[in-house]
C-alpha cells in the first residue's frame, strides 16, 4: 500500500509543498511520479495532465473575472466608505469590533465578491484605531481569516458557488452524485466548528489588551484616503459623499448577485457586473487593460493552480492506482468509518497546508476520497462533508494561502505583525483543529 503510485505521489506533493516549492511545480512533479510509477511514459503522463485541464476551466475563468470585478470595486472606494460608517459604532468595544470585522470579511466571499482585495484598502487606515483600543492583532487575523473561509464553505454564492460546484463536479466525476442544494447542509457542521474557534479566539485566547506603538505605516498598498498614521483617525469622518462611481458599482454588484441566482454561473454573473460598470461609465473602457492586469495579478495564480490540480487529479485517475489504493486502504481501515474519516482529514490537512488553496485541493482529494468513501459506506452527504472539510482544513494556517497572506498584508504595514506567529499559528490553532473534528463529526452523523 505504501508503494502505491497514488500514495507516493501525494507524499511527494505534500513534501514539495511543505518545502515551499512553487505549488505548480510541485503538482507537475507529483503527476510525473504517479504516471511513471504506473507505467505511463512521460509523454502520456503530460498528455493526460493537459487533457485534464479542461475540468476546471470554467472555475479558472470565474476567478479571473472576479479578480477584475474586485479591482473595480477596490478602485471605487466603496468598501472604505462602508467601514467609515461602521467604525464610529464599534469604537471602545473590542469584541464587537472584531466580530464586525469578521462579518465584513464574510461579505467579500459572497455578497460583494472581492476576496482579499478589501484588506489592504481597509485595514491599514484602522491600525491606529486598533492600537488605541488595544486590540490584539492576532484576533483581527483570525476574524479576517474566518470571513475569508467560512462563507464560501457554506453559502453557494460568489466564491461559495465556485467551491461548492467543484465539490459537486468532482464527486460526480468519480461516481457519486449529490445536489448542489445539499452541500451547504454537508458543510454546516464544519463551519459551526470554525465559528466556535472564532468565538474562542476573540473572547478567550486574545481577549487581553495588547500594546502596539503608533508607527507610520509603510503604505505600499492602495489605502484610499490615508496619510500615514493620521489616516486611521481621519478615515472615520472623511469622504461622506456618494459619487456616481459608487452608485454604478452598487448597481453592478446587485446585477452580479441576481445573475448568480438566475443562471447559477459565476462566469455570467461576474461578466455582467464588469460590463455594467463599463457601460455606465463607472470605469473607462481605456482602463480595461489595466483592470485586467490587476485582476489576473490578484487571482490568476489561484486560477492556474486549479487548472493544474485538475490535470493532476486526471493523472491519478488514469493510472488506475486509485482503485488499488482504495482496496488496500479499505482492508487496512476495515469497517471503521471513524478511522477512515480521521485518515482523510489528516491527508487533507497535509496536502492543503502545503498547497495553500482549498479550491485547488478539492480535485486532488476527490480522486482518492470519493472511491474510498463509497467503499467504506459513507453517504453522499457525508462524503461531501469530508471532501469539503478536508479541502478547507489546511487553508487557514498555511504560509502560502491567501487566507493568511491577505490578513498579514493589511496588519503588517507598520512592521508589527509577524506572518507566521501572528497570522498562521493563530488561524491554524483556532480553525484547523475545530475543522478536523467538525469534519469527522459531520461524516459520522450525516
Amino acid at each position: 500500500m505504501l508503494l502505491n503510485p497514488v500514495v507516493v505521489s501525494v507524499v511527494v506533493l505534500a513534501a514539495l509543498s511543505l518545502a515551499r516549492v512553487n505549488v505548480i511545480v510541485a503538482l507537475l512533479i507529483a503527476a510525473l511520479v504517479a504516471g511513471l510509477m504506473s507505467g505511463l511514459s512521460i509523454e502520456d503522463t503530460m498528455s493526460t495532465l493537459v487533457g485534464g485541464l479542461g475540468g476546471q476551466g470554467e472555475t479558472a475563468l470565474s476567478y479571473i473575472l472576479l479578480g477584475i470585478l474586485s479591482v473595480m470595486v477596490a478602485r471605487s472606494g466603496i468598501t472604505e466608505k462602508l467601514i467609515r460608517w461602521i467604525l464610529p459604532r464599534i469604537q471602545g468595544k473590542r469584541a464587537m469590533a472584531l466580530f464586525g470585522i469578521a462579518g465584513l470579511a464574510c461579505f467579500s466571499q459572497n455578497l460583494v465578491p472581492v476576496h482579499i482585495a478589501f484588506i489592504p484598502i481597509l485595514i491599514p487606515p484602522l491600525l491606529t484605531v486598533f492600537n488605541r483600543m488595544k486590540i490584539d492583532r492576532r484576533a483581527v487575523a483570525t476574524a479576517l481569516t474566518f470571513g475569508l473561509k467560512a462563507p464560501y464553505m457554506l453559502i453557494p454564492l460568489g466564491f461559495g458557488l465556485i467551491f461548492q460546484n467543484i465539490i459537486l463536479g468532482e464527486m460526480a466525476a468519480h461516481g457519486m452524485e449529490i445536489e448542489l442544494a445539499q452541500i451547504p447542509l454537508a458543510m454546516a457542521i464544519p463551519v459551526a466548528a470554525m465559528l466556535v474557534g472564532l468565538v474562542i479566539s476573540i473572547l478567550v485566547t486574545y481577549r487581553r489588551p495588547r500594546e502596539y506603538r503608533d508607527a507610520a505605516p509603510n503604505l505600499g498598498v492602495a489605502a484610499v484616503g490615508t496619510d500615514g498614521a493620521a489616516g486611521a483617525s481621519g478615515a472615520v469622518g472623511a469622504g461622506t459623499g456618494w459619487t456616481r462611481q459608487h452608485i454604478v458599482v452598487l448597481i453592478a454588484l446587485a446585477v452580479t448577485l441576481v445573475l448568480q441566482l438566475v443562471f447559477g454561473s459565476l462566469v455570467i454573473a461576474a461578466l455582467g457586473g464588469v460590463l455594467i460598470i463599463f457601460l455606465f461609465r463607472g470605469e473607462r473602457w481605456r482602463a480595461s487593460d489595466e483592470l485586467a492586469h490587476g485582476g489576473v495579478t490578484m487571482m490568476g495564480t489561484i486560477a492556474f493552480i486549479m487548472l493544474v490540480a485538475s490535470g493532476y487529479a486526471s493523472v491519478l485517475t488514469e493510472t488506475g492506482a486509485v482503485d488499488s489504493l482504495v482496496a488496500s486502504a479499505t482492508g487496512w481501515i476495515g469497517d471503521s468509518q471513524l478511522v477512515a474519516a480521521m485518515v482523510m482529514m489528516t491527508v487533507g490537512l497535509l496536502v492543503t497546508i502545503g498547497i495553500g488553496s482549498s479550491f485547488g485541493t478539492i480535485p486532488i482529494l476527490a480522486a482518492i476520497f470519493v472511491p474510498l468513501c463509497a467503499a467504506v459506506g459513507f453517504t453522499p452527504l457525508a462524503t461531501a462533508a469530508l471532501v469539503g472539510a478536508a479541502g478547507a482544513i489546511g487553508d487557514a494556517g498555511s504560509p502560502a494561502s491567501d487566507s493568511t497572506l491577505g490578513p498579514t498584508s493589511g496588519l503588517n504595514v507598520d512592521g508589527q505583525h509577524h506572518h507566521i506567529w501572528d497570522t498562521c499559528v493563530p488561524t491554524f490553532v483556532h480553525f484547523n483543529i475545530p475543522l478536523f473534528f467538525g469534519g469527522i463529526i459531520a461524516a459520522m452523523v450525516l
Side-chain angles (χ1 to χ4, degrees):
M1 176 179 174
L2 294 178
L3 295 178
N4 183 282
V6 172
V7 174
V8 176
S9 177
V10 171
V11 169
V12 169
L13 173 62
L16 291 174
S17 298
L18 290 172
R20 308 300 293 273
V21 173
N22 180 274
V23 65
I24 296 172
V25 175
L27 281 166
L28 292 172
I29 293 174
L32 279 173
V33 169
L36 294 175
M37 286 190 65
S38 301
L40 297 178
S41 67
I42 294 178
E43 292 82 1
D44 290 339
T45 301
M46 286 294 100
S47 296
T48 302
L49 187 144
V50 172
L53 292 180
Q56 295 298 333
E58 182 177 358
T59 300
L61 182 57
S62 299
Y63 258 103
I64 298 300
L65 288 171
L66 278 178
I68 296 172
L69 182 61
S70 298
V71 173
M72 289 177 162
V73 173
R75 283 162 60 109
S76 75
I78 197 169
T79 46
E80 186 187 84
K81 186 170 290 291
L82 177 63
I83 199 68
R84 286 171 174 169
W85 179 82
I86 292 176
L87 186 59
R89 293 159 175 80
I90 63 175
Q91 290 195 68
K93 304 173 183 176
R94 281 199 295 265
M96 182 181 295
L98 291 167
F99 284 118
I101 289 169
L104 284 174
C106 286
F107 292 153
S108 71
Q109 302 303 299
N110 307 103
L111 189 61
V112 186
V114 297
H115 199 44
I116 63 173
F118 76 100
I119 294 176
I121 299 169
L122 296 184
I123 297 301
L126 299 180
L127 291 182
T128 299
V129 177
F130 292 160
N131 292 350
R132 292 171 185 171
M133 296 172 68
K134 299 183 179 180
I135 290 177
D136 193 323
R137 294 187 191 180
R138 293 173 294 182
V140 180
T142 57
L144 289 170
T145 298
F146 176 86
L148 293 173
K149 285 181 57 64
Y152 74 66
M153 294 171 63
L154 186 64
I155 304 170
L157 288 173
F159 290 97
L161 185 62
I162 294 178
F163 183 75
Q164 297 188 20
N165 267 325
I166 295 173
I167 296 176
L168 178 75
E170 293 299 326
M171 287 182 62
H174 297 286
M176 189 175 289
E177 299 290 337
I178 190 172
E179 297 291 331
L180 181 63
Q182 293 179 291
I183 296 181
L185 178 60
M187 300 308 299
I189 294 176
V191 171
M194 284 188 64
L195 181 59
V196 171
L198 175 67
V199 171
I200 291 173
S201 73
I202 292 175
L203 299 183
V204 180
T205 314
Y206 305 122
R207 73 184 187 281
R208 294 183 177 179
R210 188 175 184 183
E211 298 281 350
Y212 295 89
R213 69 182 185 277
D214 282 333
N218 177 19
L219 292 176
V221 295
V224 180
T226 64
D227 182 18
S233 57
V236 176
T240 57
W242 286 87
T243 67
R244 183 173 176 278
Q245 187 181 24
H246 293 146
I247 295 173
V248 170
V249 168
L250 284 176
I251 293 172
L253 292 173
V255 169
T256 301
L257 179 61
V258 170
L259 291 177
Q260 285 183 68
L261 296 173
V262 172
F263 293 100
S265 168
L266 201 54
V267 172
I268 295 175
L271 182 59
V274 169
L275 291 176
I276 287 292
I277 292 176
F278 277 132
L279 290 173
F280 287 89
R281 304 291 298 277
E283 286 283 357
R284 294 174 293 111
W285 284 104
R286 283 180 292 179
S288 59
D289 287 342
E290 179 184 351
L291 292 166
H293 176 74
V296 171
T297 299
M298 181 186 298
M299 309 299 290
T301 300
I302 300 174
F304 193 65
I305 287 172
M306 293 179 64
L307 286 172
V308 179
S310 180
Y312 172 66
S314 295
V315 171
L316 295 185
T317 304
E318 185 71 17
T319 61
V322 172
D323 293 335
S324 61
L325 172 64
V326 171
S328 300
T330 303
W332 180 67
I333 293 170
D335 296 327
S336 176
Q337 291 185 335
L338 176 60
V339 173
M342 292 176 65
V343 169
M344 283 186 270
M345 292 301 297
T346 301
V347 170
L349 175 61
L350 290 173
V351 174
T352 310
I353 202 169
I355 291 177
S357 168
S358 299
F359 294 79
T361 304
I362 295 296
I364 300 169
L365 297 181
I368 305 169
F369 285 9
V370 174
L372 181 57
C373 286
V376 177
F378 282 119
T379 65
L381 206 57
T383 302
L386 279 171
V387 171
I393 188 172
D395 199 358
S398 171
S401 169
D402 49 7
S403 295
T404 57
L405 290 169
T408 297
S409 71
L411 292 168
N412 192 43
V413 293
D414 60 359
Q416 299 184 79
H417 186 87
H418 193 272
H419 179 55
I420 299 300
W421 290 106
D422 293 334
T423 295
C424 294
V425 172
T427 56
F428 183 96
V429 171
H430 291 93
F431 297 135
N432 287 344
I433 294 175
L435 263 177
F436 183 85
F437 291 105
I440 293 173
I441 292 170
M444 300 304 294
V445 303
L446 294 176

